[in-house]
Amino acid sequence: MYTYTDFDENFVRTRVAQFRGQVARRIDGSLTEDEFKPLRLMNGLYLQLHAYMLRVAVPYGTLNPAQMRQLAYIADRWDKGYGHFTTRQNIQYNWPKLGDVPDMLDALADVGMHAIQTSGNTIRNVTADHFAGAAADEIEDPRAIAELLRQWSTDHPEFQFLPRKFKIAVTGAAHDRAVTKAHDIGLRMVRNDAGEPGFEVIVGGGLGRTPMVGKVLRDFLPKADLLPYCEAIVSVYNLLGRRDNKYKARIKITVHENGLDKMQELVEARFEDIRAGFTGHDQALLAEIEAAFAPPACVTKSTDGYEAARLANPAFRSWSDTNLSAHRAEGYAIVSISIKKHGATPGDATSDQMRVMADLAERYGHGELRISHEQNVILPHVHQSDLPAVYAALREADLATANIGLASDIIACPGMDYCALATARSIPIAQEIATRFDELKIEHEIGQLKIKISGCINACGHHHVGHIGILGLDRAGVENYQITLGGDGTETTTIGERAGPGFSADEIVPAIERLVTGYLSLRQDADETFLQAYRRLGMEPFKAILYPREDKANAA
Amino acid sequence: MPRHFTPKVVTANALLEGDAVWLTEDNTWTRDIREAELLTDEAHADLRLLEGQAQVHMIAGAYLADAKATTDGPAPTHFREAFRTRGPSNYAHGKQVDL
């Protein structure tokens, strides 16, 4: 994987030194909070409900074992011994002290990491398919492109003060695991008629208070044109994007208000203007980056031990059925480590767990780890013969929950337990739902089900694209939870439909249980997923399950 | 007749720790809302907010939050402010263990 050059290292160290001075000036009173706030946000430091929060970028979700161990060290040394992996493939520390943050950033720089552009109205951490470089259905590893975009967008002088934040996601596979249609720019690698790789370019997707599915701006963009074309899009957005209203400032509104045709016209014109300025240096750089993402040296060896373990150990069999995905190399598997133990905070890993995952990546995983947007950790390259040992170590560390893609694998934003923007809590609801389905022992019978919960309208928990989405709101000073159904974050992205009135905190978990057990009686057979059943039947039968009293009252 | 004014406390985050804090009658910041000054007059509350906001070397983001009088001192009336007095509900972290 890509490692920082001297240039990268110097750049990051300089930023840390600058920020150290800014923090010192804030503490000694030379800077007011109004003056300091934009500076701290440029370095990923927020002030939340109970404490500061430092958001650290994990570019395209990729980590090596040394980086994961350093994240654990930072958690122990300057936080409370854990970190929170987010839907944007970042890690957040919830309890840093202001004076410690420069030291934390220096510790990150020691392993080629930083918190630059994890906040602010700029191009944020570029995200990618968490199975990149390993997935069986992949055209090319998209991480080289994501790294090129990271280098281009970092400290880009034109794009530091955009109308709003700007998010780019990249996938190299047919099956979209990067939610590309819900990003400001989504890049899907495709091949043209000549078999050459390029990108379908999607713009104007996004969730939040005005959820929109992105629109195709270009069916096929040659790889070589990617940077000038992205620069053209962001440049047009920078000019057209609304700065009069924060809630209408994202590019999805720009596309909606101006129309796709006008956006295409302006982007293409800008692209023609600037294309010649990209003289090929970007392609030379891309070639260097691609070389750094060379695939691991996979080996051929017997998988008999794996098969024997599956036969001998039902718990291992259940885990391997649920948490493994197809790898492109024969005899290998992609391991999804669930950071969603029933009843635990989704996305939180202790420092000890981080170290265990780092050790496993080093010993069995070709030195690679990934953070998924679904708040889990991935070992992308594990030989099947090593899976029994990996499972045993994960089990020892409380990391062997066999629930990837199931009802308890819930995306949950920090909600009002931490976030200053939240209007309701989301973590405790996710914890209760997971615990309830574990007690009922029907998760595996239910099958693939994506429940996502947000604690406010900003939708960090991606509830709009959950098969079951939950949105926590403040209704007259009381936490209230609205349910949406039918959302989908894959290549068939769909925004979920609101089912009806919200539920109180006491009512929401029984309502979800009712909904899911109701689905079991509605589905055609065990192969029909919740989403498929919803698409076949529509909202009404699910609404009748959710609101039985209203249904009877209407009937009367 | 003067319009009804809901009692308030001045609250903020401590500059160094980021911890939720409340302004006391003697112009210090306490981590325990029960020690805060309960403000029952609107003009006085506005003045106290300005005085609190001026302490930029101590705090960040001061604002007025609804509160009520209890035998133990001021208490929050909204669940958001109640969480700020305790810390997060998923772990025993923050004031629920520190105070």
Side-chain angles (χ1 to χ4, degrees):
Chain A
M1 52 187 267
Y2 180 80
T3 52
Y4 277 12
T5 62
D6 288 347
F7 177 88
D8 298 320
E9 163 93 14
N10 289 337
F11 175 81
V12 172
R13 294 284 183 196
T14 303
R15 276 291 289 265
V16 176
Q18 287 171 346
F19 190 55
R20 189 178 291 282
Q22 291 157 1
V23 168
R25 293 204 296 285
R26 175 67 184 100
I27 291 173
D28 74 16
S30 311
L31 290 175
T32 66
E33 185 60 22
D34 284 348
E35 291 165 334
F36 179 62
K37 185 176 176 182
L39 301 173
R40 67 170 160 77
L41 290 177
M42 287 176 81
N43 290 282
L45 185 63
Y46 288 73
L47 190 50
Q48 295 283 57
L49 216 53
H50 315 289
Y52 287 96
M53 179 271 280
L54 181 66
R55 180 181 292 152
V56 175
V58 182
Y60 34 91
T62 294
L63 285 171
N64 64 36
Q67 290 172 325
M68 184 66 112
R69 285 195 191 97
Q70 192 77 337
L71 296 179
Y73 169 74
I74 290 169
D76 281 338
R77 172 88 189 268
W78 292 294
D79 208 86
K80 291 185 185 289
Y82 73 99
H84 177 73
F85 293 112
T86 79
T87 55
R88 301 225 67 255
Q89 299 181 308
N90 297 308
I91 184 169
Q92 295 183 174
Y93 294 103
N94 286 322
W95 303 95
K97 306 277 190 290
L98 178 59
D100 291 337
V101 174
D103 289 341
M104 296 170 80
L105 295 176
D106 253 334
L108 288 168
D110 288 344
V111 291
M113 296 184 76
H114 59 74
I116 297 166
Q117 292 184 201
T118 59
S119 176
N121 293 333
T122 187
I123 299 172
R124 301 286 188 91
N125 185 37
V126 177
T127 55
D129 180 357
H130 45 261
F131 290 171
D137 63 342
E138 190 172 80
I139 295 171
E140 273 184 29
D141 185 340
R143 289 176 302 159
I145 290 296
E147 173 59 27
L148 184 69
L149 289 167
R150 186 190 73 80
Q151 295 190 19
W152 159 77
S153 62
T154 300
D155 228 22
H156 192 302
E158 190 180 334
F159 303 142
Q160 293 308 298
F161 298 97
L162 294 170
R164 279 289 274 144
K165 57 189 169 183
F166 200 91
K167 300 173 181 176
I168 304 176
V170 197
T171 178
H175 181 46
D176 186 356
R177 287 172 286 264
V179 207
T180 55
K181 290 185 176 175
H183 282 74
D184 297 298
I185 296 178
L187 299 168
R188 290 184 59 237
M189 191 167 276
V190 290
R191 287 191 191 280
N192 64 8
D193 293 341
E196 296 158 340
F199 292 96
E200 179 186 70
V201 182
I202 300 156
V203 292
L207 302 177
R209 69 177 58 215
T210 314
M212 289 187 182
V213 177
K215 298 173 177 64
V216 177
L217 196 64
R218 258 286 190 118
D219 290 325
F220 183 82
L221 180 75
K223 268 177 75 177
D225 288 337
L226 188 73
L227 277 198
Y229 199 78
C230 285
E231 182 147 316
I233 294 171
V234 187
S235 181
V236 167
Y237 164 62
N238 203 12
L239 281 172
L240 282 191
R242 289 181 57 172
R243 287 179 159 87
D244 61 319
N245 184 339
K246 179 181 176 182
Y247 303 112
K248 294 185 176 178
R250 297 290 292 272
I251 195 174
K252 62 189 172 188
I253 305 295
T254 314
V255 174
H256 180 70
E257 289 186 345
N258 292 278
L260 189 63
D261 290 346
K262 184 175 178 186
M263 284 298 288
Q264 272 170 333
E265 183 188 323
L266 292 171
V267 168
E268 293 293 338
R270 178 73 180 147
F271 173 57
E272 285 307 316
D273 280 349
I274 64 176
R275 190 182 194 179
F278 288 75
T279 56
H281 179 68
D282 59 326
Q283 293 307 296
L285 185 59
L286 179 62
E288 284 176 30
I289 297 170
E290 282 176 335
F293 284 109
C298 292
V299 296
T300 303
K301 54 183 177 178
S302 168
T303 59
D304 290 352
Y306 168 64
E307 300 298 344
R310 277 179 57 83
L311 284 173
N313 183 347
F316 173 69
R317 188 163 65 245
S318 170
W319 176 82
S320 58
D321 283 343
T322 309
N323 292 33
L324 302 183
S325 301
H327 195 283
R328 63 173 59 165
E330 196 178 339
Y332 277 75
I334 301 169
V335 175
S336 292
I337 302 172
S338 172
I339 315 295
K340 312 280 183 64
K341 185 186 176 189
H342 299 109
T345 300
D348 276 10
T350 67
S351 51
D352 286 342
Q353 289 176 325
M354 290 184 217
R355 281 186 277 268
V356 167
M357 292 187 282
D359 291 347
L360 289 174
E362 198 161 66
R363 186 161 180 192
Y364 302 111
H366 295 268
E368 279 198 40
L369 297 133
R370 309 286 173 73
I371 310 304
S372 78
H373 80 270
E374 291 174 313
Q375 298 179 288
N376 292 311
V377 177
I378 315 296
L379 300 174
H381 315 289
V382 181
H383 195 273
Q384 289 178 352
S385 62
D386 294 324
L387 289 169
V390 169
Y391 173 74
L394 291 174
R395 196 172 162 130
E396 184 81 10
D398 252 354
L399 288 168
T401 308
N403 65 346
I404 295 294
L406 305 184
S408 62
D409 185 10
I410 299 170
I411 290 181
C413 76
M416 197 178 272
D417 282 303
Y418 298 93
C419 179
L421 300 176
T423 48
R425 288 173 300 162
S426 44
I427 292 170
I429 303 300
Q431 289 174 301
E432 284 180 46
I433 292 170
T435 301
R436 180 70 62 91
F437 281 106
D438 186 40
E439 288 166 353
L440 294 170
K441 302 295 175 203
I442 55 172
E443 269 198 280
H444 290 263
E445 185 188 343
I446 296 162
Q448 290 292 306
L449 175 61
K450 295 197 182 292
I451 301 176
K452 302 175 196 274
I453 177 167
S454 304
C456 80
I457 203 161
N458 293 310
C460 295
H462 295 185
H463 66 274
H464 293 297
V465 291
H467 303 167
I468 298 174
I470 304 170
L471 167 61
L473 294 169
D474 176 346
R475 285 277 178 265
V478 177
E479 290 169 295
N480 186 272
Y481 296 89
Q482 288 178 356
I483 292 176
T484 52
L485 298 177
D488 171 17
T490 69
E491 60 277 13
T492 48
T493 298
T494 310
I495 303 296
E497 191 183 354
R498 191 178 154 193
F503 295 87
S504 71
D506 290 339
E507 294 169 335
I508 184 66
V509 179
I512 299 297
E513 179 184 339
R514 212 158 56 237
L515 187 62
V516 176
T517 52
Y519 143 75
L520 291 177
S521 60
L522 288 170
R523 69 183 179 185
Q524 282 179 322
D525 54 47
D527 291 332
E528 188 180 45
T529 66
F530 181 93
L531 185 60
Q532 288 166 339
Y534 177 83
R535 285 177 170 166
R536 176 174 59 85
L537 295 164
M539 175 67 82
E540 285 314 311
F542 294 95
K543 202 167 178 172
I545 291 165
L546 275 174
Y547 305 101
R549 277 171 293 185
E550 285 87 338
D551 196 46
K552 282 175 191 162
N554 290 340
Chain B
M1 191 175 155
R3 68 190 170 95
H4 177 71
F5 175 71
T6 307
K8 304 275 192 290
V9 287
V10 179
T11 185
N13 288 84
L15 174 62
L16 296 181
E17 295 85 9
D19 209 4
V21 289
W22 292 267
L23 188 64
T24 66
E25 280 183 21
D26 59 1
N27 255 359
T28 60
W29 294 91
T30 176
R31 295 168 65 220
D32 187 342
I33 190 175
R34 292 170 297 186
E35 298 168 357
E37 178 184 11
L38 187 68
L39 306 162
T40 55
D41 176 81
E42 186 170 9
H44 182 58
D46 290 341
L47 179 66
R48 294 295 287 148
L49 175 60
L50 289 171
E51 290 171 347
Q53 283 172 330
Q55 298 190 36
V56 293
H57 58 297
M58 298 285 292
I59 54 93
Y63 62 94
L64 291 169
D66 287 350
K68 63 185 178 189
T70 74
T71 52
D72 268 353
T77 59
H78 190 276
F79 64 91
R80 180 183 192 275
E81 293 303 316
F83 291 137
R84 292 182 74 243
T85 69
R86 293 194 295 265
S89 61
N90 59 327
Y91 294 119
H93 278 168
K95 290 180 160 41
Q96 59 197 296
V97 288
D98 296 340
L99 289 179

